[in-house]
Amino acid sequence: MTTTTAVPLRVAYDAAHGSRWTSLHGGGREWLWRGPEPGRHGVRPDDPFVDAGGLEECLPTVRGRPDHGEVWSRPWRTAGPGTVVIQRPTFVLTRRIADDSGVVVADYRLTADPGYRFVWAAHALLGLSPDARLVAPVGRPTRLHPEAAALLPPGTWPGDSPWLTGPWPSPAGLTLDTLGADDGTAIGAVLLDCPRVQVVDDADRLTVELECDGQPRSTALWRNLAGWPAVAPYRSIGVEPMLGAAFDLADAGPADAAVVPATGEVAWRLTISAHRIH
């Protein structure tokens, strides 16, 4: 007989270093991957991104300038139990992480001038086996980003377009839901209008859901099977809840970025839960 039980999760984060999530742990398993890149604690604003693993807060862009956004490379201020704040010239971001019976609930609030456009992503790099897969609604429009062009037949990529769109799980014929063995490829993709996904790895299930009224909600995937960087490549799998629909804010059309309404505030909630099949 098969049974499913909830696995309580716990989070640790480092407010002094971009408020990076350093652990997402439960049931004897650490879900967050730790990267090989040294020097994360010595980062200064405008430094190149250091891929240390964990979950990085990316705002107001993911790719582009500044790389991975403005907030990952700066200290955040503690403002209460589980609550941290970062203030920049154009916005203030507050995050509160709470434990709801073992379910991780992260509430965000951004204040900025009405009309301010941004992309936010919870850049979560997960430690997964080659048998892991990503479960999302079949047929969901999915944007492949330019690194995928080399894996497609010649002439497939549409000129200088920042993406090529096709249905999940195999946009343009590239099967992305299997997070398999290292094969020297690295692909970035964004699943549009996809606020909930599940990662399945053997008996473990990790469910990630993003709630936000009136803003585009997506899930970004970074499937790096030892295809990046060019020198000393390694494996890293990013499953990234996102407000917006583009990695780079500079590429985002009118419907591809979150926009601060007349109230001057955008609030959203990220919920992460785990289960185990017996």
Side-chain angles (χ1 to χ4, degrees), residues 106-244:
D107 285 308
Y108 296 80
R109 190 171 303 275
L110 181 139
T111 58
D113 290 340
Y116 180 76
R117 302 175 77 246
F118 66 95
V119 171
W120 165 85
H123 185 276
L125 295 175
L126 305 179
L128 302 173
S129 78
D131 295 324
R133 55 193 176 91
L134 180 64
V135 179
V138 173
R140 190 71 62 187
T142 302
R143 288 175 171 172
L144 294 171
H145 284 254
E147 60 272 11
L151 305 177
L152 301 175
T156 302
W157 196 264
D160 59 356
S161 174
W163 49 67
L164 173 64
T165 303
W168 180 265
S170 301
L174 297 178
T175 300
L176 297 185
D177 59 334
T178 54
L179 306 176
D182 294 354
D183 61 7
T185 65
I187 300 174
V190 177
L191 289 79
L192 306 183
D193 190 25
C194 186
R196 185 181 187 274
V197 297
Q198 187 174 76
V199 176
V200 177
D201 194 4
D202 193 26
D204 290 321
R205 310 288 189 268
L206 189 74
T207 303
V208 181
E209 184 166 5
L210 178 61
E211 301 171 68
C212 186
D213 292 335
Q215 304 291 346
R217 296 172 299 165
S218 306
T219 298
L221 170 65
W222 172 239
R223 197 185 71 169
N224 175 27
L225 304 179
W228 185 90
V231 177
Y234 49 81
R235 175 187 179 89
S236 58
I237 306 295
V239 177
E240 308 171 22
M242 172 186 283
L243 289 182

Side-chain angles (χ1 to χ4, degrees), residues 68-111:
H68 288 71
E70 297 182 18
V71 301
W72 72 272
S73 60
R74 291 175 164 85
W76 296 41
R77 173 175 57 85
T78 300
T83 304
V84 287
V85 179
I86 184 165
Q87 184 167 359
R88 301 294 302 131
T90 55
F91 63 82
V92 177
L93 178 64
T94 302
R95 187 193 72 199
R96 179 179 182 270
I97 297 178
D99 168 24
D100 184 3
S101 301
V103 175
V104 174
V105 179
D107 285 308
Y108 296 80
R109 190 171 303 275
L110 181 139
T111 58

